[in-house]
Amino acid sequence: MAISSIREKNQYSSLFGVARKKNDIQQKQGMSMRRLEHEQRTQNSSNSIVGQSISYADQLRAERNKAKKTSNEKKKLQYNFKKISSQIIRSKKSTTAKSAVQCAKREVRRLERLKSNEDYDETEVQLALDHAKSMEKVAKKKVLHLEQEEMIERNGKGLAVDIDEVREEKDGEDDK
């Protein structure tokens, strides 16, 4: 009898559990949305410490992976190719052209330092370095030309006068 009574009790308790679940579902359906949301929050808060620690660990892991990916990427080179060239074009006197030469020299030195740094893409740095060197040469030529023009204006004579004198001498020698 003892075995049959235990089975009867298990069946009764399982039937009672099913009935209880049905009753809970019916009650929840009759509840307002506000009440359901409150119950969900209280259930989440009971699991929140574990859930929060897991989500925090996942966030940290994602941030570390992202940091590793970005650290492997090369930095973007900060080089404005228009800066020096526009400074050269704007210079109307030899003094301003000299300052453009100095700016170009500084940029070349900065890029040479960055070339030895492995944080930047080598080809990008090399292209910028080549451009800065060519701008330095152009700026030096501009300085020479502007100095010649200023000398011509100060003396009143120009190269054109010297060239005419040379031509006249050649013509005189050819006539003889």
Side-chain angles (χ1 to χ4, degrees), residues 26-37:
Q26 288 173 352
Q27 284 179 352
K28 285 184 180 179
Q29 287 175 352
M31 285 187 210
S32 68
M33 288 298 285
R34 195 177 241 180
R35 177 79 179 160
L36 288 173
E37 289 174 358

Side-chain angles (χ1 to χ4, degrees), residues 10 18 24 37 41 46 66 75 81-82 107 125-127 131-132 144 153 168:
N10 285 341
V18 171
D24 288 343
E37 289 174 358
R41 268 188 258 128
S46 64
K66 185 178 178 183
K75 291 182 183 178
F81 65 94
K82 290 182 180 179
E107 196 65 29
V125 173
Q126 186 61 43
L127 290 171
H131 183 265
L144 291 175
E153 288 176 6
E168 289 175 4

Side-chain angles (χ1 to χ4, degrees), residues 4 38 61-62 65 77 79 83 87 94-96 114 123 126 171 174-175:
S4 65
H38 175 71
R61 190 176 303 115
N65 289 337
L77 180 65
Y79 176 70
K83 180 183 175 187
Q87 192 174 7
S94 63
T95 54
T96 55
L114 291 180
T123 56
Q126 186 61 43
D171 290 336
D174 290 338
D175 290 339

Side-chain angles (χ1 to χ4, degrees), residues 1-175:
M1 287 202 161
I3 296 175
S4 65
S5 65
I6 293 174
R7 286 184 184 163
E8 288 176 4
K9 285 182 182 178
N10 285 341
Q11 287 177 351
Y12 178 73
S13 64
S14 66
L15 289 174
F16 183 73
V18 171
R20 182 183 277 169
K21 288 180 183 177
K22 285 184 180 178
N23 192 15
D24 288 343
I25 293 171
Q26 288 173 352
Q27 284 179 352
K28 285 184 180 179
Q29 287 175 352
M31 285 187 210
S32 68
M33 288 298 285
R34 195 177 241 180
R35 177 79 179 160
L36 288 173
E37 289 174 358
H38 175 71
E39 284 185 9
Q40 287 176 350
R41 268 188 258 128
T42 55
Q43 287 175 355
N44 289 341
S45 67
S46 64
N47 297 331
S48 67
I49 295 172
V50 174
Q52 286 178 354
S53 62
I54 290 172
S55 67
Y56 180 68
D58 290 338
Q59 287 176 349
L60 284 176
R61 190 176 303 115
E63 287 177 10
R64 287 180 188 142
N65 289 337
K66 185 178 178 183
K68 285 180 183 178
K69 287 179 183 175
T70 55
S71 67
N72 291 340
E73 294 176 4
K74 302 286 184 174
K75 291 182 183 178
K76 186 179 181 207
L77 180 65
Q78 296 295 322
Y79 176 70
N80 187 359
F81 65 94
K82 290 182 180 179
K83 180 183 175 187
I84 300 170
S85 61
S86 63
Q87 192 174 7
I88 294 168
I89 292 170
R90 283 190 310 237
S91 60
K92 301 296 178 192
K93 294 185 180 180
S94 63
T95 54
T96 55
K98 286 179 184 178
S99 68
V101 170
Q102 294 302 318
C103 182
K105 283 183 180 181
R106 269 183 268 132
E107 196 65 29
V108 167
R109 280 183 265 142
R110 184 183 76 86
L111 290 170
E112 285 175 347
R113 278 194 311 267
L114 291 180
K115 189 176 180 182
S116 62
N117 192 349
E118 294 178 2
D119 293 341
Y120 297 96
D121 186 24
E122 291 178 25
T123 56
E124 189 176 0
V125 173
Q126 186 61 43
L127 290 171
L129 185 62
D130 292 342
H131 183 265
K133 285 181 181 179
S134 65
M135 287 296 108
E136 184 181 359
K137 288 178 186 178
V138 169
K140 286 179 181 179
K141 285 183 183 180
K142 178 94 175 201
V143 167
L144 291 175
H145 293 152
L146 289 174
E147 285 176 347
Q148 285 178 354
E149 288 178 10
E150 290 170 1
M151 189 182 298
I152 290 168
E153 288 176 6
R154 274 188 254 130
N155 294 338
K157 296 180 180 177
L159 293 175
V161 175
D162 293 336
I163 292 172
D164 289 338
E165 291 175 3
V166 170
R167 284 185 186 160
E168 289 175 4
E169 289 176 10
K170 284 185 180 179
D171 290 336
E173 291 176 4
D174 290 338
D175 290 339

